[in-house]
Amino acid sequence: MKIAQWMKQSGVAFGTSGARGLVTAMTDSVCFAYTVGYLKHLASLGEFLPGTQVAVAGDLRPSTPRILRACVAAITYMGGVPVFCGYVPTPALCLHAFTLGIPSLMVTGSHIPADRNGIKFNRARGEFLKTDEATMREQDVTLPDGWFDTDGALARDITLPVITDVVPGFVARYQDFFGPDALSGLKLGIYQHSAVGRDVMVEIVEALGGTAVPLGRKDDFIPVDTEAVRPEDAALAREWASDGTLDAILTTDGDSDRPLLADRHGNWLRGDVLGIIAARFLGAAAVTTPVSSNTALEQAGFVRDIRRTRIGSPFVVAAMTEAAEAGLLPSVGYEANGGFLLASDVTQGARTLGALPTRDSMLPMICALVAARQQGVDLAGLVATLPPRFTLSDRLVEMPTAQSQARITALRADPAKGVAALGLLDACGGLAHVDETDGLRMTFENGEIVHLRPSGNAPELRVYVESDSPARTTDLLKIGMDAVSTWRDTP
């Protein structure tokens, strides 16, 4: 069957970051087929042939080792050489693979619950783009006889290779650019939960001269979402910060490619604010970010070229690469979830940070901490240097994607009527502009924004809001969530 048929049959489809689905649907045979289709696509591009190394790694979900084994089986079947990088951050895997110019894949579901997982595919020197996904869907894959039982479980004796340690090179990336004393004198909490990079974060902080304090380590998988922070994670940060001894708290999502940074008061910074701070610190000439990100970027006025895209790193990668090819250097990208990407090298003084065109969680957090020190302020003071625009987001869970899309399509057909029906006309006033880049982003005459969009990774409806004060943004998010809460119960 073609991969498109495998996807339809299994329910494991492409989202914004690779193929994702329920663990029960991601059988060994499905994961094997997807990996074979991926390698066939790369072969058509001249990036894979028998004997090619393919780097693999995974997060700490219970299902990840099984899925990794199925992927390694597929690589072996296709004549490739699997290189197992262990359970490490996605950017650590990508740095290793991109440097060598070899394909790589990461078994991860990122921030989604442990009953789901995914496979994120990469090209030899960059992320898998939407054009790659389209071509991969057309690849024909037939399972080899005798490799799987009737339930789709791998029946061959396939073991994961000995681990190739990619962590030292990942740590050296930051130490070489920022210097061994960049974080000296700072006491930084590391919220470890079940993030695959929880120990690597400690290593990086210590390599830059900081004092790392591990916090909240868990054996069970915790679905920390850097874009829609859980109430319990907000409470934990405030508790840890309450004694006043920590300068900041750092954490990431499950595969450690998206950052979450809290100030010394335990307030988590929004990822799109962190992105602006990092872009400014790195002296970006071009910044690419999804349409959902904070508009303080435009108001800050330090960027020559700003490009707004659909949500998802493949869209950001494509646009920021175009900016780099046009000579707008440095060219960077970031997402509202905090993931930060470098399309080009960045040079400051005698030190150069190499391009890494995939989400990087540590870079923006280090940039913010170093920038605050240089300006003689704490993180809260650094954020205060930006124009006063505030964003929040939440999600309506267990909302089928088709149902979300149908609702948004109806709203798009007559926005003015739909806004009134949702109660947003009374709350925000007249509608000034509608952006359909990704979902429906409504800007009102008072400058407030409400953005509705089906998640690309899970059956959820995302709600994003923006206004000019924290209190109003909190109220606006409640208004937006209340407005769509009935959608789930009334198809």
Side-chain angles (χ1 to χ4, degrees):
M1 293 190 298
K2 292 182 182 295
I3 292 299
Q5 294 171 284
W6 280 96
M7 289 188 169
K8 183 176 180 180
Q9 185 181 82
S10 67
V12 180
F14 277 120
T16 52
S17 299
R20 290 186 181 174
L22 290 167
V23 168
T24 51
M26 295 186 68
T27 62
D28 293 346
S29 57
V30 167
C31 297
F32 179 97
Y34 285 18
T35 306
V36 169
Y38 157 66
L39 295 177
K40 283 189 169 184
H41 168 60
L42 293 188
S44 72
L45 300 174
E47 293 187 6
F48 176 82
L49 71 165
T52 300
Q53 291 185 326
V54 181
V56 301
D59 67 15
L60 299 181
R61 294 164 189 271
S63 60
T64 291
R66 173 185 65 79
I67 295 173
L68 274 170
R69 185 167 165 263
C71 295
V72 166
I75 295 167
T76 303
Y77 170 72
M78 291 292 288
V81 180
V83 178
F84 181 41
C85 299
Y87 302 95
V88 297
T90 295
L93 166 73
C94 290
L95 176 64
H96 177 75
F98 295 170
T99 300
L100 295 179
I102 62 174
S104 61
L105 64 85
M106 179 78 179
V107 176
T108 179
S110 184
H111 64 281
I112 59 180
D115 65 343
R116 294 174 169 83
N117 210 329
I119 306 174
K120 182 177 181 181
F121 301 105
N122 295 299
R123 296 271 302 268
R125 296 193 184 277
E127 285 196 5
F128 222 55
L129 301 181
K130 291 301 176 182
T131 51
D132 293 303
E133 290 180 7
T135 307
M136 177 178 154
R137 289 175 190 270
E138 297 305 308
Q139 299 300 322
D140 272 307
V141 176
T142 301
L143 297 180
D145 291 338
W147 281 57
F148 301 91
D149 65 19
T150 55
D151 295 323
L154 187 63
R156 301 275 291 198
D157 184 19
I158 300 290
T159 59
L160 296 177
V162 175
I163 292 176
T164 296
D165 189 1
V166 301
V167 170
F170 188 56
V171 174
R173 169 180 173 80
Y174 306 104
Q175 188 180 52
D176 292 346
F177 182 69
F178 290 99
D181 299 316
L183 302 180
S184 62
L186 295 181
K187 186 177 181 181
L188 303 172
I190 308 297
Y191 176 24
Q192 295 192 308
H193 59 93
S194 54
V196 73
R198 57 192 181 182
D199 295 322
V200 179
M201 283 191 284
V202 171
E203 287 191 50
I204 292 172
V205 165
E206 293 178 343
L208 300 183
T211 299
V213 181
L215 301 166
R217 191 183 186 95
K218 298 293 184 182
D219 293 327
D220 297 331
F221 186 82
I222 307 296
V224 170
D225 188 340
T226 63
E227 191 171 1
V229 178
R230 304 180 312 152
E232 49 266 57
D233 291 328
L236 281 173
R238 289 193 297 270
E239 177 185 342
W240 290 326
S242 62
D243 66 2
T245 63
L246 297 176
D247 293 292
I249 302 170
L250 294 73
T251 194
T252 69
D253 64 340
D255 65 319
S256 295
D257 68 343
R258 307 178 187 189
L260 193 57
L261 178 66
D263 62 25
R264 62 187 180 87
H265 305 292
N267 299 312
W268 295 113
L269 277 62
R270 292 287 303 177
D272 47 4
V273 169
L274 189 59
I276 297 171
I277 290 170
R280 184 172 66 179
F281 176 84
L282 295 172
V287 176
T288 300
T289 192
V291 66
S292 60
S293 294
N294 194 312
T295 61
L297 174 64
E298 282 83 358
Q299 296 185 25
F302 66 89
V303 187
R304 290 167 50 197
D305 184 272
I306 296 175
R307 303 181 182 212
R308 293 279 182 166
T309 70
R310 292 180 61 188
I311 294 169
S313 60
F315 301 110
V316 175
V317 169
M320 73 176 192
T321 300
E322 290 177 359
E325 291 173 348
L328 296 164
L329 305 174
S331 174
V332 310
Y334 67 84
E335 299 176 273
N337 57 43
F340 198 88
L341 310 93
L342 285 183
S344 61
D345 294 352
V346 176
T347 298
Q348 291 189 350
R351 293 171 172 166
T352 297
L353 183 68
L356 184 58
T358 193
R359 293 189 190 112
D360 183 348
S361 61
M362 290 306 299
L363 178 59
M365 292 194 287
I366 298 170
C367 286
L369 293 168
V370 174
R373 295 190 70 179
Q374 290 179 348
Q375 296 187 34
V377 297
D378 61 9
L379 285 175
L382 184 66
V383 171
T385 65
L386 299 178
R389 294 294 291 177
F390 302 89
T391 56
L392 284 175
S393 61
D394 203 346
R395 51 190 172 169
L396 190 63
V397 298
E398 300 306 327
M399 178 71 174
T401 300
Q403 196 170 324
S404 294
Q405 290 172 337
R407 287 289 189 173
I408 290 175
T409 297
L411 184 59
R412 183 181 289 119
D414 192 344
K417 181 180 177 181
V419 163
L422 288 171
L424 296 177
L425 188 62
D426 293 336
C428 306
L431 191 62
H433 178 68
V434 173
D435 188 321
E436 299 183 16
T437 301
D438 197 341
L440 200 66
R441 185 172 175 86
M442 298 166 287
T443 301
F444 296 86
E445 292 174 354
N446 63 1
E448 295 176 349
I449 297 171
V450 177
H451 181 183
L452 307 177
R453 168 187 170 268
S455 170
N457 296 320
E460 301 170 349
L461 175 67
R462 292 276 183 171
V463 179
Y464 311 83
V465 300
E466 180 176 328
S467 78
D468 59 6
S469 78
R472 175 57 181 170
T473 306
T474 299
D475 291 342
L476 190 58
L477 181 60
K478 184 179 187 305
I479 291 168
M481 288 296 293
D482 288 346
V484 300
S485 62
T486 60
W487 285 8
R488 182 173 49 197
D489 303 321
T490 54

